[in-house]
Amino acid sequence: MDSTLGTIREEIRKNREGNIPTLILVIDTNILADHAWARDNNITYLIEEIVPDHPEFLIVVPHICKVEFKLITREEVNAWNTLQQEIKRRSKDLERYKGFENLCKRLREDAEYLEVLINKLKEAPKKEIEILSNLMLFFSENLPLQYEMSYYISKDPDYGLIFEDALVFSFVKLVGDALKDESTVLFLTKDRDFDVKRVLEELRERNIEVYFNSGACLKRIKDILK
């Protein structure tokens, strides 16, 4: 346990030139997607406006979230690509009907707009990680204890977490243990699978604040950084 906590502390110190930040925010995969896909103004403001101006504040991303972000982006691309192909197919069928020329034209334009979205999404993982690597810590050090903890947690029905979520949960707990009494640690996720009594209790025992709403989390961060 001590070596694992020491590794976490050392990686955070290296990211902040030897200092331990007074405020740590651990984020989940969905928060990365919110920023990359520009779907939450609170997240955009938090990362682009607050983070650069506050060296005492650090966002930390568990390694599994970086991997999952690539996966969900691929799934998102496939979903929009399927819709685009269906629109193209149906617009050709529509050509046989008189009086629907304008609708057919709009559908073709929609298919072209979707191409822009699809290309943007394809580029998102690489561009997002490159950009955010200068603003936050993508934690990549191997933590065997984290994997051991996650295995047993994922098997325990009291938690109700799949292995990937257990990895995030275990990491957040270890960060809380590593920075006890030195940093305020927050955890932001939109995954309600973490909204489980056992999970919340164990995070609360480590004085880790959990937020499922980006607006509430942003307000709390602003209050701390005043």
Side-chain angles (χ1 to χ4, degrees):
M1 173 69 86
D2 288 345
S3 63
T4 298
L5 302 184
T7 299
I8 292 173
R9 289 175 56 83
E10 180 61 24
E11 289 303 301
I12 290 175
R13 281 185 183 278
K14 285 197 300 186
N15 188 269
R16 281 296 181 267
E17 299 180 348
N19 298 313
I20 295 291
T22 56
L23 176 60
I24 297 284
L25 172 66
V26 182
I27 62 173
D28 198 6
T29 309
N30 40 59
I31 308 304
L32 285 178
D34 281 343
H35 183 264
W37 302 344
R39 64 184 187 183
D40 187 324
N41 290 335
N42 291 324
I43 300 301
T44 300
Y45 181 77
L46 173 65
I47 292 174
E48 298 181 8
E49 301 296 331
I50 292 184
V51 170
D53 293 336
H54 294 88
E56 73 277 24
F57 172 41
L58 176 63
I59 296 178
V60 182
V61 186
H63 182 65
I64 184 60
C65 296
K66 181 178 177 180
V67 176
E68 284 189 322
F69 177 54
K70 295 177 183 178
L71 178 61
I72 65 171
T73 299
R74 180 183 299 175
E75 292 173 347
E76 191 80 359
V77 167
N78 290 340
W80 287 114
N81 189 59
T82 298
L83 176 60
Q84 182 195 47
Q85 296 307 313
E86 180 66 11
I87 290 174
K88 287 181 178 180
R89 187 179 69 82
R90 298 302 293 176
S91 64
K92 289 182 179 179
D93 293 341
L94 194 62
E95 291 177 348
R96 298 179 298 168
Y97 298 88
K98 292 183 179 180
F100 291 92
E101 291 80 9
N102 288 337
L103 175 57
C104 188
K105 179 181 178 182
R106 289 199 299 273
L107 286 174
R108 287 172 176 165
E109 290 175 347
D110 288 342
E112 291 178 2
Y113 290 143
L114 281 175
E115 185 68 26
V116 175
L117 173 61
I118 290 168
N119 289 333
K120 182 178 180 180
L121 288 172
K122 285 179 178 178
E123 298 173 355
K126 182 178 179 181
K127 291 180 67 175
E128 183 74 359
I129 292 170
E130 284 180 355
I131 292 170
L132 295 185
S133 291
N134 295 320
L135 297 172
M136 58 184 67
L137 171 60
F138 285 88
F139 198 95
S140 59
E141 286 298 305
N142 187 35
L143 301 173
L145 178 59
Q146 178 194 6
Y147 287 87
E148 180 181 345
M149 291 168 61
S150 300
Y151 174 79
Y152 289 106
I153 288 171
S154 67
K155 298 296 183 181
D156 190 334
D158 287 346
Y159 293 96
L161 298 177
I162 62 173
F163 183 68
E164 290 80 3
D165 287 345
L167 282 171
V168 175
F169 172 56
S170 298
F171 181 78
V172 177
K173 288 203 301 179
L174 288 169
V175 170
D177 287 334
L179 303 179
K180 186 178 180 180
D181 300 326
E182 289 188 77
S183 301
T184 299
V185 180
L186 314 180
F187 174 45
L188 175 60
T189 178
K190 292 183 179 178
D191 186 348
R192 283 288 174 175
D193 287 344
F194 291 103
D195 193 6
V196 177
K197 182 179 179 181
R198 181 77 177 270
V199 172
L200 298 177
E201 283 179 349
E202 292 190 11
L203 294 176
R204 194 176 301 115
E205 288 169 0
R206 291 163 172 80
N207 295 319
I208 297 169
E209 301 177 26
V210 183
Y211 292 89
F212 295 98
N213 179 280
S214 62
C217 186
L218 176 60
K219 183 179 184 304
R220 174 61 171 146
I221 289 170
K222 284 182 174 180
D223 289 342
I224 295 173
L225 295 176
K226 281 181 180 177

